[in-house]
Amino acid sequence: MEDVELEGVITDIGYINLGSRSVIRLTVRSGSGIFTLLDPSFYPYFYLVPNNAHTEQKAIEGIKIIDKGGEEIGVHAAHRAEMRLRGKEVGVFKVEALNTRHIPRLSDYLREFGAVYEYDIVFWKRYLIDNGLSPLLGISVKAHKEGKNLIVDSISSKTAKPFRLNYICFDIETYNPRGILPNAEHDPAIMISYSNGSERKVLTTKRIDRDFVVSFSGEKEMIEAFVQAVQKNDIDVIAGYNSSNYDVPYLIKRAARTNAGFDLTRYGEEVKQEHHGLLEAIRIPGRINVDVYNVTKFISIVGASEKLLRINRFTLGEVYRSITGETKTTVDKGNIWQMWDGSPEELGKLADYSLSDSVALERLYDFFMPLEIEMAKITGYTLGETAVSTTGQLVEYLLMRYAKMNNELIQNKPGEGEIQNRLANPIEGAYVKTPEAGIYENIAVFDFRGLYPSIIIAHNIDPSTVCRDCTEFYESPDGTRFRKSPAGIVPMALKMLVAERSEVKKAYKINPDNKTLAARSQALKILANSFYGYLGYARSRWYARECAGSVTAFGRFYITRAIEEAEKAGFRVIYSDTDSLFIVLGDRKKEDAVAFLRSVNGSLPESMELELEDFYVRGVFVGKRGGESGGAGAKKKYALLSESGRVKIKGFELVRRDWSSIARETQRRVLEAVLKEGSKEKAVAIVKGVVEDLREGRVQLKDLTVYTQLRKSMDSYDAKSPELAAAQKAVASGQKRKDQIEGATIGYIITKSGSTISEKAVLEEFATDYDADYYIKHQVLPATLKILKELGYTGGELAQGGSQKRL
């Protein structure tokens, strides 16, 4: 028996069935290559909290039941233990099984004996949690060989040396002369391009005069050559763009149709298609699948990249241009089949386009992956799971690890009935002081640093610390009490995240070019800011209405107290929302604002701090929709110009995706004219110029497209919206199929033909003209009047010319 010691990182983890046993399988990359290890010492299990404290261990271990298939299922072992359940000590049985498929049946049966917990935790996730392993942080393993297998003797977490995951970014092109969505049953894949940091290739079935093109005799050989590229380059990460929904499933079907080998795995197994919440996921045993489209959407949702805020559609080209500032090679996708059947010159252009997709994807992979890697390291998740997870799922996994470390039972997922009860009792939100609409000068903006995380930490807010008969407690403004000690796992985890981010930010200031530090700081911030939402999320394991409600109650308390102190100090507070307040300095100096800041911080709990965001020269706060100039303002809609010249914009159409670019761009220009130049005349001239361009037909159709997503079946909408009407027309005329449109982001233009807006709506690719009056009255003027009415202008004056109504 040969002993082996190695250090490295876990790139993939799962389990296999050896006879009647489920056995953990680890894929580990070390300095000397890839290793596969098996750990048969770890058993699937769940916990039983017995109704009868005198239940004997032998009674549990002796349980035998017959499954529906006639298989006898028994408890492998039962161990007594003491654990905590919602802060109280309870006696439990740890019930082990031989196979993961036995867990659901055994846990259901044992409900007669008491409450069962942790029966739904995936076997390999439990293995990582129980052993305190964080895949990408590194491990140290002692093992021995048994035949061809490496068997784990001991495994522990260890900081890994810097490592590089081998990756391949790929894309496919398909042939579909019918001009509709390609169908893998009969439309072949004609090109597979890839880039892996060392080589860039286009694999295809025609001879094309490009150095990067490799030609094959048929589609079968082309698909197998891509598989060989993955195997030959010892790839850890296979990355695509919308590949979980399209490219990989398409290649799976084409491989089956052509009898091509499609073993992208390291173990001669099938590539698996799985549901992961609302997402489709691909599992490639032994490797990591990353769909950069899903990663991009995640980063956009959490606001981790300002470069993604202004894009209309998450196409590869749009995201690439947003991130790099460059334009990738494009072709009309509807003409790909014609290019394939066309001249050598057209084939060359098609090959250029195919390769450009993989090269663009590689740039995005390099840009986004540092954040994903740091998320995985912090939570202890695998990179593959991190890439398809929401912030709530990441927080939940992190809390599961903390529960294990603190001997606390992991809460069960709620049933549908409980979820509906939670949804029926919403939590009161944050305090908002709406501004008076107008233009202000000499503004200071303050915000509480991580208000909700700091409230949770300062007051030990956790489902297990809620108490009614405790003597040492924190009491929230809504009357809920939280035991002061011991610390709950929610504030404990948050405190770790906040403290580490503070240290990372210090290091980043010293080394601002370090991308890893920047990504880690961002990852820590995203996770910390997600805890409050998770506590109030109806499907959360750790949902607690008392906790989420107390967080917002404390938030309202601290922000309103800060407003009162600002007003006592002689400042005018014009706006406040959740964790920030905006004050007009008037004749006061900056030093007075700083003194106010010190005064507030002197009265806050240790973990809380009010910070000065910046001083602003000028700011625009708009009125509510339909409101009069100078009336009550709208919340979360303002634009500010800092002393350094930076423009901060919140809530305006130019950072939304459901308005045309002509409306957003005009609004941006108007804002800059007012904020940077202080010129209402220039702002008005901009709007009048755009109105004239629209009337004269000088605006391009692409600038008039409105983008939106049809999230439901076309037949399930009650009212006919413009986007729905445009989609229905395209389907009725045979220009599109329903499955091309439903669930997709579509663009439409309001044309001249029709009597209603819905009748005039046409998908962008089929529009030939536009209705100028619609874009003036329903796009450009509504977007700009939010600002210009504060300067005394009306819609009629801007649409038809004329002078200002008042100043």
Side-chain angles (χ1 to χ4, degrees), residues 792-804:
Y793 290 91
T794 67
E797 293 167 330
L798 295 171
Q800 301 171 10
S803 59
Q804 62 197 94

Side-chain angles (χ1 to χ4, degrees), residues 445-681:
V445 177
F446 302 90
D447 57 43
F448 282 95
R449 184 186 65 191
L451 178 62
Y452 286 176
S454 61
I455 285 173
I456 292 170
I457 295 168
H459 303 93
N460 201 26
I461 296 176
D462 185 275
S464 70
T465 64
V466 176
C467 63
R468 290 172 178 79
D469 55 358
C470 46
T471 55
E472 296 289 327
F473 56 84
Y474 301 103
E475 185 169 346
S476 80
D478 68 5
T480 306
R481 294 180 177 183
F482 300 93
R483 188 179 60 247
K484 286 190 173 183
S485 64
I489 63 169
V490 172
M492 193 184 300
L494 262 178
K495 190 172 184 178
M496 179 276 292
L497 295 175
V498 171
E500 184 181 350
R501 183 163 189 255
S502 178
E503 294 303 312
V504 169
K505 287 174 69 175
K506 290 176 186 176
Y508 184 57
K509 283 184 179 179
I510 298 171
N511 188 3
D513 295 326
N514 190 310
K515 292 182 179 180
T516 299
L517 288 174
R520 191 163 186 85
S521 177
Q522 185 73 275
L524 288 162
K525 178 182 178 181
I526 291 168
L527 289 168
N529 288 340
S530 301
F531 272 69
Y532 159 71
Y534 179 74
L535 284 173
Y537 175 51
R539 296 182 181 276
S540 160
R541 290 180 188 268
W542 275 275
Y543 171 91
R545 192 175 190 280
E546 305 102 313
C547 294
S550 293
V551 172
T552 55
F554 271 121
R556 294 190 297 272
F557 169 77
Y558 286 115
I559 196 69
T560 53
R561 192 171 73 175
I563 291 171
E564 291 169 0
E565 292 190 30
E567 290 172 343
K568 285 179 184 177
F571 296 107
R572 180 187 175 192
V573 179
I574 56 173
Y575 177 52
S576 175
D577 186 356
T578 309
D579 60 355
S580 59
L581 65 155
F582 298 57
I583 66 173
V584 174
L585 295 182
D587 59 358
R588 310 298 299 276
K589 295 182 172 55
K590 292 180 181 178
E591 291 79 6
D592 298 321
V594 174
F596 156 73
L597 183 68
R598 285 197 297 266
S599 172
V600 171
N601 283 329
S603 64
L604 293 175
E606 183 179 349
S607 64
M608 298 181 66
E609 182 181 0
L610 185 67
E611 296 180 316
L612 172 66
E613 181 193 285
D614 210 343
F615 291 104
Y616 294 91
V617 176
R618 193 174 291 112
V620 176
F621 292 83
V622 302
K624 293 180 180 178
R625 183 178 298 177
E628 292 295 323
S629 174
K635 63 180 182 179
K636 298 185 188 297
K637 281 197 175 184
Y638 57 84
L640 303 168
L641 174 68
S642 73
E643 292 181 326
S644 65
R646 179 178 65 91
V647 176
K648 177 180 180 179
I649 297 169
K650 186 79 170 179
F652 284 104
E653 279 67 36
L654 62 91
V655 295
R656 286 173 48 186
R657 303 186 185 97
D658 55 350
W659 282 63
S660 65
S661 64
I662 190 74
R664 290 183 285 114
E665 179 62 15
T666 305
Q667 189 185 71
R668 182 190 64 77
R669 292 170 62 200
V670 166
L671 281 171
E672 289 189 349
V674 172
L675 291 174
K676 290 186 174 181
E677 302 178 42
S679 173
K680 55 182 178 288
E681 294 81 11

Side-chain angles (χ1 to χ4, degrees), residues 24-39:
I24 290 291
R25 180 177 66 191
L26 301 157
T27 308
V28 176
R29 175 167 288 286
S30 76
S32 54
I34 286 287
F35 293 85
T36 300
L37 300 105
L38 301 180
D39 193 343

Side-chain angles (χ1 to χ4, degrees), residues 67-115:
D67 201 3
K68 291 179 181 179
E71 178 187 6
E72 184 179 79
I73 296 174
V75 172
H76 170 66
H79 309 280
R80 285 188 180 276
E82 293 294 320
M83 298 186 72
R84 287 214 306 258
L85 176 60
R86 300 183 187 90
K88 296 181 178 179
E89 297 292 331
V90 293
V92 303
F93 285 107
K94 178 182 178 182
V95 182
E96 294 181 350
L98 289 175
N99 197 293
T100 57
R101 69 174 184 273
H102 297 170
I103 294 292
R105 188 71 182 88
L106 286 172
S107 59
D108 279 347
Y109 182 82
L110 282 171
R111 291 178 197 276
E112 297 180 17
F113 294 80

Side-chain angles (χ1 to χ4, degrees), residues 585-806:
L585 295 182
D587 59 358
R588 310 298 299 276
K589 295 182 172 55
K590 292 180 181 178
E591 291 79 6
D592 298 321
V594 174
F596 156 73
L597 183 68
R598 285 197 297 266
S599 172
V600 171
N601 283 329
S603 64
L604 293 175
E606 183 179 349
S607 64
M608 298 181 66
E609 182 181 0
L610 185 67
E611 296 180 316
L612 172 66
E613 181 193 285
D614 210 343
F615 291 104
Y616 294 91
V617 176
R618 193 174 291 112
V620 176
F621 292 83
V622 302
K624 293 180 180 178
R625 183 178 298 177
E628 292 295 323
S629 174
K635 63 180 182 179
K636 298 185 188 297
K637 281 197 175 184
Y638 57 84
L640 303 168
L641 174 68
S642 73
E643 292 181 326
S644 65
R646 179 178 65 91
V647 176
K648 177 180 180 179
I649 297 169
K650 186 79 170 179
F652 284 104
E653 279 67 36
L654 62 91
V655 295
R656 286 173 48 186
R657 303 186 185 97
D658 55 350
W659 282 63
S660 65
S661 64
I662 190 74
R664 290 183 285 114
E665 179 62 15
T666 305
Q667 189 185 71
R668 182 190 64 77
R669 292 170 62 200
V670 166
L671 281 171
E672 289 189 349
V674 172
L675 291 174
K676 290 186 174 181
E677 302 178 42
S679 173
K680 55 182 178 288
E681 294 81 11
K682 181 174 180 179
V684 171
I686 288 169
V687 177
K688 289 186 174 181
V690 172
V691 168
E692 182 179 350
D693 286 344
L694 282 164
R695 292 201 188 280
E696 296 298 320
R698 293 193 289 261
V699 179
Q700 296 184 46
L701 291 176
K702 67 180 179 64
D703 295 325
L704 303 171
T705 304
V706 178
Y707 294 99
T708 189
Q709 184 177 11
L710 289 178
R711 298 183 182 276
K712 301 186 294 184
S713 164
M714 289 171 58
D715 300 327
S716 64
Y717 286 87
D718 296 327
K720 181 174 284 192
S721 61
E723 61 267 27
L724 179 61
Q728 288 174 334
K729 276 186 229 173
V731 171
S733 64
Q735 294 169 309
K736 292 281 187 179
R737 291 202 323 264
K738 286 178 69 174
D739 60 2
Q740 288 179 275
I741 292 176
E742 291 178 345
T745 298
I746 61 171
Y748 66 91
I749 289 172
I750 304 302
T751 66
K752 296 177 181 178
S753 302
S755 57
T756 67
I757 291 175
S758 289
E759 288 177 2
K760 294 179 178 184
V762 174
L763 292 187
E764 58 174 324
E765 58 261 52
F766 308 122
T768 57
D769 58 36
Y770 66 85
D771 182 347
D773 283 340
Y774 168 81
Y775 286 97
I776 292 168
K777 295 177 182 178
H778 297 281
Q779 292 274 314
V780 172
L781 292 186
T784 55
L785 270 174
K786 295 174 185 295
I787 305 149
L788 292 178
K789 74 179 180 182
E790 306 308 330
L791 299 173
Y793 290 91
T794 67
E797 293 167 330
L798 295 171
Q800 301 171 10
S803 59
Q804 62 197 94
K805 182 179 176 183
R806 64 174 177 78

